[in-house]
Amino acid sequence: MIWNKWSWLGCGFLLGSAGLKALKSDDAKKVYTHVTAAAMRCRDDAVEQYHLLRENISDIAADAEEINRERYEAKEAQRIEDAKAVLAAAETK
């Protein structure tokens, strides 16, 4: 039974050593480099999309403020006209 435990430990050590050598190989480094480059491209695309979205949101907010300003001005002009009509009606009586 003790031999069985030691054999599993030895096999694990050998597999771990072989795995480390595989991870340190030139082919593995090329894979890591390509994966890192792809991740950087994804990051750059995400940042670009963020900036485009932020610009669009700013444009939308500016347009919304303009619409609201025009509505408030129209509403105020209507109030003034209504007040003038009330004053004119009061003067004719």
Side-chain angles (χ1 to χ4, degrees):
M1 189 155 156
I2 291 177
W3 178 248
N4 193 17
K5 289 181 184 179
W6 284 106
S7 63
W8 281 110
L9 179 66
C11 287
F13 180 75
L14 288 175
L15 286 174
S17 296
L20 284 176
K21 284 191 179 200
L23 291 175
K24 290 181 180 180
S25 71
D26 289 337
D27 291 334
K29 287 181 183 178
K30 287 180 186 178
V31 170
Y32 304 149
T33 303
H34 285 285
V35 169
T36 303
M40 288 178 168
R41 286 191 305 271
C42 288
R43 181 201 60 201
D44 293 341
D45 287 342
V47 168
E48 183 180 339
Q49 291 298 319
Y50 168 77
H51 288 298
L52 288 174
L53 182 62
R54 190 168 180 161
E55 288 173 9
N56 287 337
I57 289 172
S58 296
D59 292 344
I60 290 169
D63 291 344
E65 287 175 1
E66 179 66 23
I67 290 169
N68 284 337
R69 186 184 58 78
E70 289 172 1
R71 284 188 175 189
Y72 294 142
E73 287 175 358
K75 195 174 187 179
E76 188 63 26
Q78 185 62 43
R79 284 185 193 163
I80 292 171
E81 290 298 321
D82 291 345
K84 286 180 182 178
V86 168
L87 285 175
E91 289 177 359
T92 58
K93 287 186 182 181

